[in-house]
Amino acid sequence: MSKVEVIPVKTAVLTEQDNIIDVIKKYTANLVTKEDIICIAESVVAITQHRFTRPEELHISWQARLLRRFVPPEGSMSSLYGMQAAMNIEGKWKVLFSFLIGGIAKVCGKRGVWYSLCPQAALIDDVTGTMPPFDKCIVFGPKNPTQVANQIAQQIDCKGVCIADVNDLKRACIVGYSQGIDPTHMVALLRNNPFGNDSQTTPIVIIKNDISKTQI
């Protein structure tokens, strides 16, 4: 039985001038087969959709100043700019009340309620959170990631496509995936973060020899 291979694909620095479908075609053309799965870092998909802003463009509200004090320091939401960016996308009052609901749920033993109510709060990358030159920007989550994944899968003869948010703390989330892909299985394959969003510039990963059953 062949061992599953997880192959990072090096690209040029991708910007808002790039089309993500054209990028995938260009850099995977001679590497991917119809049995392979293409995985893409969610921050790069968002950048090509021009979903980013600079910290100096944000007006910091008192709600952001208050809430970020209650977020663990390793998260993007502990930053004034990260929290304000989430409020700009989701709405500041929605974020505030969802945070309160999430706090009550956490006391009752249920975690993750805030992020489920305000998913952009989980997807936003604060400054230094992605590859240069966008390491000086706040990068939002991608728009319509499942639609994007299906569009890529329709253009490329592969087993499937997923868009993933993965970090070096072994936390992985599949934010969008094409028909037939099992997101739980993909989390297990990507948990060790094979993406390189710094000088490696490997925001695309190809998974080969995966013989798991696809989701029906």
Side-chain angles (χ1 to χ4, degrees), residues 95-111:
V95 171
L96 179 61
F97 286 117
S98 296
F99 192 89
L100 294 174
I101 293 169
I104 295 170
K106 190 173 182 179
V107 170
C108 296
K110 186 173 183 179
R111 295 177 174 271

PDB file of all heavy atoms in Angstrom, residues 95-111:
ATOM      1  N   VAL A  95     -20.889  40.974  17.225  1.00  0.00           N
ATOM      2  CA  VAL A  95     -19.706  40.394  17.863  1.00  0.00           C
ATOM      3  C   VAL A  95     -19.819  40.505  19.384  1.00  0.00           C
ATOM      4  O   VAL A  95     -19.529  39.547  20.116  1.00  0.00           O
ATOM      5  CB  VAL A  95     -18.417  41.077  17.356  1.00  0.00           C
ATOM      6  CG1 VAL A  95     -17.212  40.635  18.180  1.00  0.00           C
ATOM      7  CG2 VAL A  95     -18.191  40.755  15.885  1.00  0.00           C
ATOM      8  N   LEU A  96     -20.245  41.659  19.866  1.00  0.00           N
ATOM      9  CA  LEU A  96     -20.344  41.880  21.308  1.00  0.00           C
ATOM     10  C   LEU A  96     -21.328  40.913  21.951  1.00  0.00           C
ATOM     11  O   LEU A  96     -21.009  40.224  22.933  1.00  0.00           O
ATOM     12  CB  LEU A  96     -20.756  43.326  21.585  1.00  0.00           C
ATOM     13  CG  LEU A  96     -20.919  43.717  23.060  1.00  0.00           C
ATOM     14  CD1 LEU A  96     -19.615  43.538  23.810  1.00  0.00           C
ATOM     15  CD2 LEU A  96     -21.420  45.153  23.175  1.00  0.00           C
ATOM     16  N   PHE A  97     -22.541  40.826  21.417  1.00  0.00           N
ATOM     17  CA  PHE A  97     -23.550  39.970  22.025  1.00  0.00           C
ATOM     18  C   PHE A  97     -23.228  38.487  21.828  1.00  0.00           C
ATOM     19  O   PHE A  97     -23.487  37.664  22.713  1.00  0.00           O
ATOM     20  CB  PHE A  97     -24.935  40.305  21.465  1.00  0.00           C
ATOM     21  CG  PHE A  97     -25.484  41.601  21.989  1.00  0.00           C
ATOM     22  CD1 PHE A  97     -25.744  42.667  21.136  1.00  0.00           C
ATOM     23  CD2 PHE A  97     -25.710  41.779  23.349  1.00  0.00           C
ATOM     24  CE1 PHE A  97     -26.225  43.871  21.621  1.00  0.00           C
ATOM     25  CE2 PHE A  97     -26.198  42.986  23.839  1.00  0.00           C
ATOM     26  CZ  PHE A  97     -26.457  44.030  22.976  1.00  0.00           C
ATOM     27  N   SER A  98     -22.616  38.148  20.686  1.00  0.00           N
ATOM     28  CA  SER A  98     -22.205  36.760  20.465  1.00  0.00           C
ATOM     29  C   SER A  98     -21.108  36.360  21.442  1.00  0.00           C
ATOM     30  O   SER A  98     -21.058  35.218  21.912  1.00  0.00           O
ATOM     31  CB  SER A  98     -21.720  36.578  19.021  1.00  0.00           C
ATOM     32  OG  SER A  98     -22.757  36.809  18.101  1.00  0.00           O
ATOM     33  N   PHE A  99     -20.233  37.312  21.758  1.00  0.00           N
ATOM     34  CA  PHE A  99     -19.172  37.060  22.733  1.00  0.00           C
ATOM     35  C   PHE A  99     -19.780  36.770  24.109  1.00  0.00           C
ATOM     36  O   PHE A  99     -19.340  35.853  24.811  1.00  0.00           O
ATOM     37  CB  PHE A  99     -18.235  38.262  22.802  1.00  0.00           C
ATOM     38  CG  PHE A  99     -16.961  38.001  23.554  1.00  0.00           C
ATOM     39  CD1 PHE A  99     -15.841  37.512  22.898  1.00  0.00           C
ATOM     40  CD2 PHE A  99     -16.878  38.254  24.915  1.00  0.00           C
ATOM     41  CE1 PHE A  99     -14.668  37.269  23.593  1.00  0.00           C
ATOM     42  CE2 PHE A  99     -15.711  38.018  25.614  1.00  0.00           C
ATOM     43  CZ  PHE A  99     -14.599  37.521  24.951  1.00  0.00           C
ATOM     44  N   LEU A 100     -20.790  37.545  24.483  1.00  0.00           N
ATOM     45  CA  LEU A 100     -21.453  37.325  25.769  1.00  0.00           C
ATOM     46  C   LEU A 100     -22.139  35.960  25.803  1.00  0.00           C
ATOM     47  O   LEU A 100     -22.051  35.232  26.798  1.00  0.00           O
ATOM     48  CB  LEU A 100     -22.469  38.439  26.031  1.00  0.00           C
ATOM     49  CG  LEU A 100     -21.893  39.844  26.239  1.00  0.00           C
ATOM     50  CD1 LEU A 100     -23.019  40.863  26.350  1.00  0.00           C
ATOM     51  CD2 LEU A 100     -21.002  39.882  27.476  1.00  0.00           C
ATOM     52  N   ILE A 101     -22.823  35.614  24.709  1.00  0.00           N
ATOM     53  CA  ILE A 101     -23.478  34.308  24.625  1.00  0.00           C
ATOM     54  C   ILE A 101     -22.441  33.195  24.698  1.00  0.00           C
ATOM     55  O   ILE A 101     -22.619  32.188  25.389  1.00  0.00           O
ATOM     56  CB  ILE A 101     -24.299  34.205  23.325  1.00  0.00           C
ATOM     57  CG1 ILE A 101     -25.483  35.174  23.377  1.00  0.00           C
ATOM     58  CG2 ILE A 101     -24.804  32.773  23.113  1.00  0.00           C
ATOM     59  CD1 ILE A 101     -26.199  35.337  22.055  1.00  0.00           C
ATOM     60  N   GLY A 102     -21.326  33.393  23.987  1.00  0.00           N
ATOM     61  CA  GLY A 102     -20.261  32.402  24.013  1.00  0.00           C
ATOM     62  C   GLY A 102     -19.664  32.235  25.393  1.00  0.00           C
ATOM     63  O   GLY A 102     -19.310  31.127  25.801  1.00  0.00           O
ATOM     64  N   GLY A 103     -19.540  33.359  26.141  1.00  0.00           N
ATOM     65  CA  GLY A 103     -19.019  33.287  27.501  1.00  0.00           C
ATOM     66  C   GLY A 103     -19.921  32.480  28.418  1.00  0.00           C
ATOM     67  O   GLY A 103     -19.454  31.672  29.228  1.00  0.00           O
ATOM     68  N   ILE A 104     -21.224  32.697  28.287  1.00  0.00           N
ATOM     69  CA  ILE A 104     -22.189  31.940  29.094  1.00  0.00           C
ATOM     70  C   ILE A 104     -22.132  30.461  28.733  1.00  0.00           C
ATOM     71  O   ILE A 104     -22.125  29.583  29.606  1.00  0.00           O
ATOM     72  CB  ILE A 104     -23.613  32.493  28.882  1.00  0.00           C
ATOM     73  CG1 ILE A 104     -23.704  33.929  29.428  1.00  0.00           C
ATOM     74  CG2 ILE A 104     -24.651  31.598  29.557  1.00  0.00           C
ATOM     75  CD1 ILE A 104     -24.983  34.648  29.049  1.00  0.00           C
ATOM     76  N   ALA A 105     -22.058  30.173  27.421  1.00  0.00           N
ATOM     77  CA  ALA A 105     -21.981  28.785  26.972  1.00  0.00           C
ATOM     78  C   ALA A 105     -20.713  28.104  27.483  1.00  0.00           C
ATOM     79  O   ALA A 105     -20.729  26.928  27.867  1.00  0.00           O
ATOM     80  CB  ALA A 105     -22.034  28.732  25.449  1.00  0.00           C
ATOM     81  N   LYS A 106     -19.613  28.850  27.516  1.00  0.00           N
ATOM     82  CA  LYS A 106     -18.340  28.291  27.994  1.00  0.00           C
ATOM     83  C   LYS A 106     -18.434  27.923  29.468  1.00  0.00           C
ATOM     84  O   LYS A 106     -17.918  26.881  29.890  1.00  0.00           O
ATOM     85  CB  LYS A 106     -17.216  29.297  27.754  1.00  0.00           C
ATOM     86  CG  LYS A 106     -15.820  28.744  27.996  1.00  0.00           C
ATOM     87  CD  LYS A 106     -14.773  29.757  27.580  1.00  0.00           C
ATOM     88  CE  LYS A 106     -13.371  29.185  27.767  1.00  0.00           C
ATOM     89  NZ  LYS A 106     -12.329  30.161  27.339  1.00  0.00           N
ATOM     90  N   VAL A 107     -19.082  28.774  30.267  1.00  0.00           N
ATOM     91  CA  VAL A 107     -19.288  28.472  31.682  1.00  0.00           C
ATOM     92  C   VAL A 107     -20.097  27.185  31.846  1.00  0.00           C
ATOM     93  O   VAL A 107     -19.882  26.403  32.782  1.00  0.00           O
ATOM     94  CB  VAL A 107     -19.987  29.651  32.385  1.00  0.00           C
ATOM     95  CG1 VAL A 107     -20.434  29.263  33.799  1.00  0.00           C
ATOM     96  CG2 VAL A 107     -19.061  30.853  32.449  1.00  0.00           C
ATOM     97  N   CYS A 108     -21.008  26.959  30.911  1.00  0.00           N
ATOM     98  CA  CYS A 108     -21.859  25.761  30.955  1.00  0.00           C
ATOM     99  C   CYS A 108     -21.184  24.548  30.324  1.00  0.00           C
ATOM    100  O   CYS A 108     -21.797  23.475  30.197  1.00  0.00           O
ATOM    101  CB  CYS A 108     -23.183  26.036  30.252  1.00  0.00           C
ATOM    102  SG  CYS A 108     -24.182  27.318  31.052  1.00  0.00           S
ATOM    103  N   GLY A 109     -19.930  24.713  29.891  1.00  0.00           N
ATOM    104  CA  GLY A 109     -19.167  23.576  29.374  1.00  0.00           C
ATOM    105  C   GLY A 109     -19.165  23.434  27.869  1.00  0.00           C
ATOM    106  O   GLY A 109     -18.632  22.453  27.342  1.00  0.00           O
ATOM    107  N   LYS A 110     -19.719  24.400  27.146  1.00  0.00           N
ATOM    108  CA  LYS A 110     -19.742  24.312  25.683  1.00  0.00           C
ATOM    109  C   LYS A 110     -18.829  25.385  25.110  1.00  0.00           C
ATOM    110  O   LYS A 110     -19.059  26.580  25.268  1.00  0.00           O
ATOM    111  CB  LYS A 110     -21.166  24.495  25.154  1.00  0.00           C
ATOM    112  CG  LYS A 110     -21.275  24.258  23.652  1.00  0.00           C
ATOM    113  CD  LYS A 110     -22.716  24.282  23.183  1.00  0.00           C
ATOM    114  CE  LYS A 110     -22.811  23.981  21.693  1.00  0.00           C
ATOM    115  NZ  LYS A 110     -24.215  23.984  21.206  1.00  0.00           N
ATOM    116  N   ARG A 111     -17.773  24.950  24.407  1.00  0.00           N
ATOM    117  CA  ARG A 111     -16.800  25.874  23.837  1.00  0.00           C
ATOM    118  C   ARG A 111     -17.078  26.153  22.360  1.00  0.00           C
ATOM    119  O   ARG A 111     -17.753  25.379  21.697  1.00  0.00           O
ATOM    120  CB  ARG A 111     -15.387  25.303  23.988  1.00  0.00           C
ATOM    121  CG  ARG A 111     -14.920  25.178  25.429  1.00  0.00           C
ATOM    122  CD  ARG A 111     -13.550  24.531  25.516  1.00  0.00           C
ATOM    123  NE  ARG A 111     -13.037  24.541  26.873  1.00  0.00           N
ATOM    124  CZ  ARG A 111     -12.320  25.520  27.396  1.00  0.00           C
ATOM    125  NH1 ARG A 111     -12.028  26.582  26.656  1.00  0.00           N
ATOM    126  NH2 ARG A 111     -11.885  25.458  28.646  1.00  0.00           N
TER     127      ARG A 111
END
